Amino acid sequence: MIKNFLFSTLSAFLFIGLISCEKEIKFIPSAKTTDRQAIADSTMIAFEKSLLKNQIDSVFKKYQFNGSVAVFKDSVELYRKNQGFADFKDQLKINDSTVFAIGSVSKQFTAALILLQMEQGKLNVDDKVSTYLKEFQNKNYENITIHQLLNHTSGLNTLGGKLQFKSGTDFFYSNDGFNTLGKIVEKVSGKSYDENILGLFKKAGMNHSSTATSFEGENFAGAYLGNRKNFEKIQNMPKRLASKDIGVPAGGILSTINDLHVWNTALYNGKILRPETLKKFESKSAERHHAIFGKMGYGYGIMSNIGKPLAFFHSGYIKGSPSLNIFYPETKTSVIILSNIADEELGKGFTFKPHVEIKKITDALESTISEMNSSKGNAMKM
C-alpha cells in the first residue's frame, strides 16, 4: 500500500517537474535528452528528500527518538537528523561528530578482516578452525569451519559449551563465533585485532572509528537504559565492550554516521575486497529468523532482504545502544540509524520500533524507484 502510494506520487512529481522545465529545453534539440534526464534526476532527489524528511521526522516525533539518522544516495545527503543527548546528565547534544557503540554492526568488519587474510593466501574460509586454534582441537569442535563461524552455522553458542546442532545443519547466532574469528585474524596475521581493524579503518577512510580498547577520542555517546526522564548510565563504557560477554570482534567497534557511510561506499564499491571476495561476503549462505526484522538471508557478518528490494544490513545491540546500518546496492543508498538509549523494560521489540519503521520507509522507496526504472527501461525497448 505504501509502495503503490509512493509510485503514483513519484510519477506525478516527475511528470510535473519535466513539464515545468520543457520550455527551457525545447530550443536545444541536441541537448534535450540529456537535459530531460538531468531534470528527472534532480526532481527524483528533491522528491526523495521531501518524502524522507516528512516520514522519518514523524518517526522521530512518534518515539521521541534519541539518536542520529542519515540517508545518503552515493555522495548526496538525502536526510540527516540528530536529536537528543550524547550525555543526559550534562545535556550535551548529539551532533554529526558523535561517536556511538555500534554493537553487532561490528561483525561485518571482522568478516572483512578474515576475507582480506584469505586474499593474501593466509587462510581459506573452508579451512577447519582447529587448524589455527588449539581450543577447537577436540571431538566436538574439530569439524567446525571458518565459513560456518562467518554465517553462524557452526552450532557454537558459547566457547567451551555443547554445540546446538551438528555443524553446518542449522543457524544459531553466536558472538563467541565472531570472537573466535578475531583470534584467527590475530593468529594468521601476527598482529593484534586492534592493529588489523585500525588498518582497515584507515584503508576505508574512516577517521573517527575505533575499538573499545583503542578509543582515546572525544564525543562518545554514553549508553543509557530507560528514557529521557528516568535514565541510568551504563558504567565503564566503552571498555566493557571488550569483556568476555561481548568481545570487540563481535560487538566492540565505535563509529559515527559519516564513517559508516564512508565504509558502505568503500566496501560495496570494491575498494576493500576484490569483486569475487565481495560476492562471497554478500551471498546468502544461511537463513536467519530474526526476532525483530523477520526472515532474512545471512552472508558473512551481513544480512540481506529476502525478495525486493535488494538490501544488505545488520542491526546491533549492546545495553543502551541499538543501531542499524543498511545499504541498497541498486541506488548506492546508505541508511544509518544510531542511538544511545534503550528502555529494556519495554523490550527490544519496542527499542527497535524506530529502526523497523525507518527500514520499511526506505525499503518501500527503494522498491518504488526500482519499479519506475524498470518501467522506463521497458518503455524505451518498445
Side-chain angles (χ1 to χ4, degrees):
M1 189 172 179
I2 294 175
K3 194 168 70 176
N4 290 340
F5 170 76
L6 289 178
F7 189 89
S8 58
T9 304
L10 180 52
S11 297
F13 205 85
L14 286 171
F15 179 76
I16 292 168
L18 287 170
I19 292 300
S20 64
C21 297
E22 183 71 30
K23 291 181 180 180
E24 297 180 20
I25 60 175
K26 67 180 182 179
F27 298 113
I28 317 174
S30 61
K32 187 170 183 177
T33 301
T34 302
D35 287 348
R36 285 180 67 89
Q37 186 58 52
I39 292 166
D41 289 345
S42 62
T43 302
M44 177 77 79
I45 292 293
F47 172 81
E48 290 181 78
K49 285 184 175 181
S50 176
L51 180 136
L52 291 169
K53 177 170 176 49
N54 181 274
Q55 297 208 4
I56 300 179
D57 276 0
S58 71
V59 174
F60 266 89
K61 184 177 180 180
K62 181 178 179 181
Y63 296 103
Q64 289 298 295
F65 185 71
N66 192 96
S68 293
V69 177
V71 181
F72 303 91
K73 191 170 189 176
D74 205 353
S75 60
V76 178
E77 182 180 295
L78 297 179
Y79 179 89
R80 187 193 290 259
K81 184 166 184 166
N82 304 311
Q83 180 171 284
F85 302 115
D87 186 311
F88 281 77
K89 183 179 178 181
D90 295 333
Q91 296 199 335
L92 297 176
K93 290 185 177 181
I94 290 169
N95 58 43
D96 289 352
S97 300
T98 300
V99 177
F100 292 86
I102 63 172
S104 286
V105 175
S106 306
K107 287 182 171 66
Q108 61 197 268
F109 294 93
T110 299
L113 287 180
I114 286 284
L115 292 172
L116 285 169
Q117 299 304 316
M118 184 191 76
E119 288 186 347
Q120 295 171 38
K122 294 180 179 180
L123 58 79
N124 191 293
V125 294
D126 294 321
D127 290 344
K128 292 181 179 180
V129 179
S130 57
T131 304
Y132 304 97
L133 302 176
K134 287 184 179 180
E135 54 264 50
F136 279 73
Q137 294 171 1
N138 60 66
K139 186 178 179 181
N140 290 326
Y141 290 2
E142 64 184 356
N143 292 319
I144 292 175
T145 65
I146 294 173
H147 165 84
Q148 291 165 352
L149 293 182
L150 284 164
N151 67 2
H152 299 285
T153 59
S154 69
L156 185 70
N157 180 7
T158 55
L159 193 60
K162 184 179 178 181
L163 294 183
Q164 303 296 305
F165 46 79
K166 182 181 177 182
S167 299
T169 63
D170 207 341
F171 182 98
F172 189 88
Y173 193 81
S174 173
N175 282 328
D176 272 8
F178 265 77
N179 288 326
T180 297
L181 291 170
K183 292 178 183 178
I184 295 172
V185 168
E186 292 182 328
K187 180 77 172 180
V188 302
S189 69
K191 298 188 293 185
S192 71
Y193 181 87
D194 274 11
E195 287 178 282
N196 277 282
I197 200 69
L198 293 175
L200 179 57
F201 293 154
K202 185 176 181 180
K203 181 176 182 178
M206 300 167 69
N207 299 319
H208 303 285
S209 298
S210 62
T211 67
T213 44
S214 66
F215 180 72
E216 294 178 351
E218 299 176 346
N219 302 318
F220 179 68
Y224 296 83
L225 296 180
N227 54 60
R228 289 186 179 190
K229 294 181 180 179
N230 185 19
F231 54 84
E232 173 193 350
K233 188 172 184 177
I234 303 297
Q235 298 302 309
N236 196 31
M237 284 288 286
K239 299 294 184 186
R240 69 176 293 269
L241 302 180
S243 68
K244 185 179 178 182
D245 292 340
I246 303 169
V248 173
I253 287 175
L254 316 177
S255 195
T256 66
I257 286 280
N258 289 341
D259 267 15
L260 288 175
H261 171 228
V262 167
W263 167 251
N264 288 346
T265 301
L267 176 65
Y268 295 103
N269 282 344
K271 294 181 180 179
I272 304 297
L273 301 170
R274 297 169 188 164
E276 64 273 19
T277 311
L278 180 61
K279 189 174 181 179
K280 273 183 176 288
F281 171 86
E282 297 172 341
S283 296
K284 175 191 169 186
S285 53
E287 190 170 279
R288 182 180 186 185
H289 295 264
H290 197 284
I292 295 165
F293 292 95
K295 185 178 176 182
M296 62 190 62
Y298 206 98
Y300 286 172
I302 198 73
M303 304 188 284
S304 58
N305 280 352
I306 290 180
K308 296 182 179 180
L310 177 60
F312 301 110
F313 61 99
H314 212 294
S315 55
Y317 185 80
I318 49 97
K319 280 188 177 295
S321 298
S323 59
L324 182 64
N325 181 28
I326 312 169
F327 185 78
Y328 298 98
E330 186 174 327
T331 58
K332 298 184 179 180
T333 298
S334 291
V335 181
I336 304 157
I337 308 167
L338 303 176
S339 182
N340 66 322
I341 189 168
D343 197 334
E344 288 194 343
E345 290 187 3
L346 297 176
K348 285 187 183 178
F350 178 83
T351 294
F352 275 94
K353 276 190 174 180
H355 307 68
V356 170
E357 288 197 21
I358 291 170
K359 185 175 184 295
K360 285 181 179 178
I361 291 165
T362 56
D363 273 1
L365 180 58
E366 192 73 14
S367 292
T368 301
I369 293 170
S370 179
E371 286 185 16
M372 291 202 69
N373 288 338
S374 178
S375 297
K376 183 170 67 176
N378 290 336
M380 291 177 68
K381 291 177 184 178
M382 293 176 67

